[in-house]
């Protein structure tokens, strides 16, 4: 395993539900990421937390709300989703050192989300 | 905007053959990375090549980088059925924390 866990692995929710995705990394990294992967589209970066501060929000609709309480945990809170939000949601972590070019990212297994 | 673009989109070969996948990108980079994804699972990092490197090896993997052409290739030698997966290149756009992924190449290795 990669040292990044995600729960739940599968989630089916109605458009009026509220749910949360959880990610935990056991690698001592200081950056965490949420990605969305839809069929036939490139992996889309949604949010980045760097040293626990959100440094990236790629025009993600407000029905997705991230939370990073500490450097090991990352949540994605979901509410009033649309069917087109059905996708594989991937969490990743990496080490970020100032002034040093990027390192590899470690991914969790993903949460398969279906919005009905 | 999308940075890495893999080519071909799909590749089917017989076990034992070599598989070559290509990636083109648009802007300057610090490094380029290749990842593998089994169906419905997370991505696994394979190899990282820095902009000042031209070739790198890891086991049966060989990666080349041509910064003048803004392109990279991933060669898997003596392929196995277990190599069946999608392969993605990712570039860092000179960021120290953000990667941009392509759509990937789906490799099928037939036993």
């Amino acid at each position: 395993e990669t040292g990044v866990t995600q729960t739940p692995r599968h989630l089916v929710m109605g458009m009026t539900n509220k749910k949360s995705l959880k990610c935990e990394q056991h690698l001592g990294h200081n950056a965490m990421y949420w990605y969305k992967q839809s069929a036939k589209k490139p992996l889309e970066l949604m949010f980045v937390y760097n040293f626990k501060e959100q440094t990236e929000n790629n025009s993600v609709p407000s029905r997705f709300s991230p939370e990073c309480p500490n450097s090991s945990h990352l949540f994605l809170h979901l509410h009033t989703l649309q069917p087109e939000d059905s996708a594989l949601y991937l969490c990743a972590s990496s080490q970020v050192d100032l002034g040093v070019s990027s390192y590899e990212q470690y991914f969790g297994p993903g949460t398969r989300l279906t919005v009905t | 905007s999308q940075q890495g673009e893999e080519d071909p989109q799909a590749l089917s070969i017989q076990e034992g053959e070599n598989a070559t996948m290509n990636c083109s990108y648009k802007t300057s980079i610090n490094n380029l990375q290749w990842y593998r994804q089994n169906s419905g699972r997370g991505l696994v990092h394979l190899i990282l090549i820095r902009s000042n490197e031209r070739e790198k090896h890891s086991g049966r993997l060989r990666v080349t980088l041509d910064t003048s052409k803004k392109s990279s290739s991933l060669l898997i030698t003596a392929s196995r059925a277990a190599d069946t997966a999608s392969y993605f290149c990712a570039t860092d756009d000179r960021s120290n924390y953000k990667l941009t992924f392509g759509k990937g190449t789906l490799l099928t290795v037939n036993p």
Side-chain angles (χ1 to χ4, degrees):
Chain A
E1 296 304 323
T2 62
V4 180
T5 58
Q6 287 187 245
T7 55
R9 295 292 308 277
H10 299 271
L11 178 62
V12 179
M13 60 186 287
M15 289 191 283
T16 57
N17 290 161
K18 284 187 182 181
K19 296 284 184 185
S20 296
L21 309 185
K22 179 182 174 183
C23 176
E24 184 173 359
Q25 59 100 356
H26 310 273
L27 301 167
H29 290 159
N30 57 10
M32 296 187 77
Y33 310 77
W34 279 117
Y35 289 91
K36 176 183 178 183
Q37 188 175 36
S38 306
K40 310 221 187 280
K41 288 174 122 181
L43 208 60
E44 298 173 57
L45 178 63
M46 299 174 73
F47 301 105
V48 181
Y49 277 83
N50 200 344
F51 300 98
K52 293 188 295 179
E53 291 193 8
Q54 190 182 124
T55 53
E56 199 86 14
N57 177 342
N58 280 348
S59 304
V60 179
S62 59
R63 56 186 184 269
F64 294 92
S65 172
E67 179 190 358
C68 187
N70 55 60
S71 58
S72 299
H73 294 86
L74 185 65
F75 295 89
L76 188 62
H77 304 299
L78 317 171
H79 65 98
T80 59
L81 294 191
Q82 304 298 311
E84 61 264 28
D85 297 323
S86 298
L88 182 67
Y89 288 84
L90 293 164
C91 172
S93 72
S94 73
Q95 182 62 23
V96 176
D97 294 328
L98 295 177
V100 179
S101 61
S102 57
Y103 299 112
E104 60 268 29
Q105 293 185 9
Y106 292 79
F107 284 80
T111 294
R112 173 67 64 185
L113 173 67
T114 303
V115 181
T116 60
Chain B
S1 64
Q2 185 175 325
Q3 174 73 312
E5 288 249 8
E6 293 89 347
D7 166 58
Q9 291 186 9
L11 179 62
S12 182
I13 60 174
Q14 296 300 122
E15 218 168 16
E17 294 180 340
N18 295 342
T20 299
M21 289 159 270
N22 303 296
C23 170
S24 60
Y25 59 92
K26 296 185 175 69
T27 63
S28 297
I29 61 172
N30 289 321
N31 66 56
L32 184 144
Q33 304 181 32
W34 284 91
Y35 289 78
R36 163 200 169 120
Q37 183 182 34
N38 287 79
S39 180
R41 305 297 303 271
L43 279 70
V44 176
H45 178 262
L46 295 176
I47 197 165
L48 180 154
I49 185 165
R50 302 204 178 279
S51 59
N52 60 355
E53 297 175 308
R54 292 296 166 259
E55 189 170 311
K56 205 161 181 181
H57 297 255
S58 176
R60 293 184 296 113
L61 304 181
R62 172 177 168 251
V63 168
T64 63
L65 179 64
D66 186 335
T67 52
S68 67
K69 295 181 179 176
K70 293 187 168 59
S71 67
S72 173
S73 68
L74 170 67
L75 168 67
I76 304 175
T77 60
S79 63
R80 305 166 182 167
D83 294 329
T84 295
S86 291
Y87 292 82
F88 298 87
C89 69
T91 53
D92 65 1
D93 303 353
R94 289 205 171 271
S95 160
N96 68 341
Y97 66 89
K98 191 171 86 167
L99 296 178
T100 304
F101 290 81
K103 289 184 182 178
T105 292
L106 176 58
L107 172 66
T108 303
V109 181
N110 301 299

